[in-house]
Amino acid sequence: GAGVSQSPRYKVAKRGQDVALRCDPISGHVSLFWYQQALGQGPEFLTYFQNEAQLDKSGLPSDRFFAERPEGSVSTLKIQRTQQEDSAVYLCASSKDRSNQPQHFGDGTRLSIL
Amino acid sequence: DAKTTQPPSMDCAEGRAANLPCNHSTISGNEYVYWYRQIHSQGPQYIIHGLKNNETNEMASLIITEDRKSSTLILPHATLRDTAVYYCIVRVGARGYSGAGSYQLTFGKGTKLSVIP
């Protein structure tokens, strides 16, 4: 089925490098979310888009984190000057709209910073 | 969003019903109860959600107490593939949306369900 697709599935980068993580939401889904999941913890909210508008970025841990969704579909999460504490699984979720419709998640990108 | 309390772990025999409890004593009238599960190395999977009535779908049943302070997720015939971490989350619905920052899911530690052969 056409679920949420994330790429790459795994990413290894050296400390200080920039990385870009991609999310393809379910077709037609208006809302898109990024979450960060540390080992052994539940996912934590990073940022939220309604179409192309980034309505909430309160969860982004620092100004090194940047997300965009220019055409209201595909989204990219960029991390500049990566640090070891950025190592985590980054999850993307989409939902039809901002009502009580459930969010559907991709399988995430596992980022390891050496 | 209101906080939820779940037991850290539970065991269930294969083929038996798994009953996963969740306390949400501070839930507001406009907050829904959502259940997700996460199997190792996968993203969270939506299971079911409800406001105040009991709900059932092909995966599970959700029983919400009349005072809405607690709920139970029921997997009627647990299989080994149901071994996962189960998250109970409360969140406002559309009418309760008050602006940015209130629409994301807030995950706790969940319940690790182990289905035993």
Side-chain angles (χ1 to χ4, degrees):
Chain A
V4 177
S5 177
Q6 293 188 246
S7 60
R9 189 80 172 86
Y10 302 93
K11 177 69 177 177
V12 180
K14 293 182 178 179
R15 186 165 57 92
Q17 289 183 330
D18 298 348
V19 298
L21 312 179
R22 177 187 169 103
C23 172
D24 282 86
I26 294 172
S27 178
H29 277 197
V30 172
S31 297
L32 186 145
F33 303 80
W34 284 97
Y35 293 82
Q36 180 190 58
Q37 186 170 23
L39 191 64
Q41 304 296 316
E44 292 191 355
F45 170 76
L46 293 177
T47 188
Y48 159 57
F49 289 85
Q50 183 83 351
N51 295 304
E52 69 279 2
Q54 188 175 20
L55 297 186
D56 185 358
K57 51 183 180 180
S58 62
L60 296 176
S62 78
D63 59 6
R64 296 186 296 103
F65 286 70
F66 172 76
E68 60 183 5
R69 193 186 185 197
E71 298 179 359
S73 178
V74 171
S75 177
T76 303
L77 177 67
K78 298 179 179 178
I79 309 174
Q80 298 176 325
R81 305 180 303 282
T82 53
Q83 303 293 317
Q84 282 194 322
E85 60 264 28
D86 300 335
S87 296
V89 175
Y90 290 86
L91 295 160
C92 176
S94 69
S95 66
K96 284 184 179 179
D97 52 35
R98 65 180 204 183
S99 70
N100 58 311
Q101 291 298 311
Q103 296 175 28
H104 298 276
F105 286 79
D107 284 335
T109 294
R110 181 176 295 277
L111 176 63
S112 298
I113 305 300
L114 305 179
Chain B
D1 290 345
K3 292 183 65 175
T4 62
T5 303
Q6 300 177 253
S9 64
M10 292 181 62
D11 291 341
C12 178
E14 188 178 16
R16 302 295 295 269
N19 297 282
L20 292 93
C22 179
N23 286 324
H24 31 80
S25 58
T26 59
I27 192 170
S28 300
N30 60 357
E31 289 181 314
Y32 285 73
V33 180
Y34 291 79
W35 282 85
Y36 284 78
R37 72 181 183 184
Q38 190 170 25
I39 296 169
H40 183 61
S41 296
Q42 297 182 17
Q45 178 188 24
Y46 165 76
I47 301 173
I48 198 167
H49 75 286
L51 183 62
K52 55 184 177 181
N53 297 321
N54 297 338
E55 302 288 344
T56 295
N57 62 20
E58 65 279 4
M59 290 183 67
S61 295
L62 173 61
I63 308 298
I64 303 174
T65 57
E66 191 169 344
D67 64 7
R68 301 209 324 123
K69 293 184 177 183
S70 66
S71 60
T72 301
L73 178 74
I74 301 173
L75 307 178
H77 306 287
T79 71
L80 298 179
R81 288 175 294 183
D82 292 322
T83 292
V85 178
Y86 287 77
Y87 296 99
C88 169
I89 301 165
V90 295
R91 200 208 72 187
V92 295
R95 292 184 180 178
Y97 183 74
S98 59
S102 60
Y103 193 50
Q104 69 270 28
L105 297 172
T106 301
F107 290 80
K109 294 187 182 298
T111 295
K112 181 172 173 54
L113 175 69
S114 298
V115 180
I116 311 299

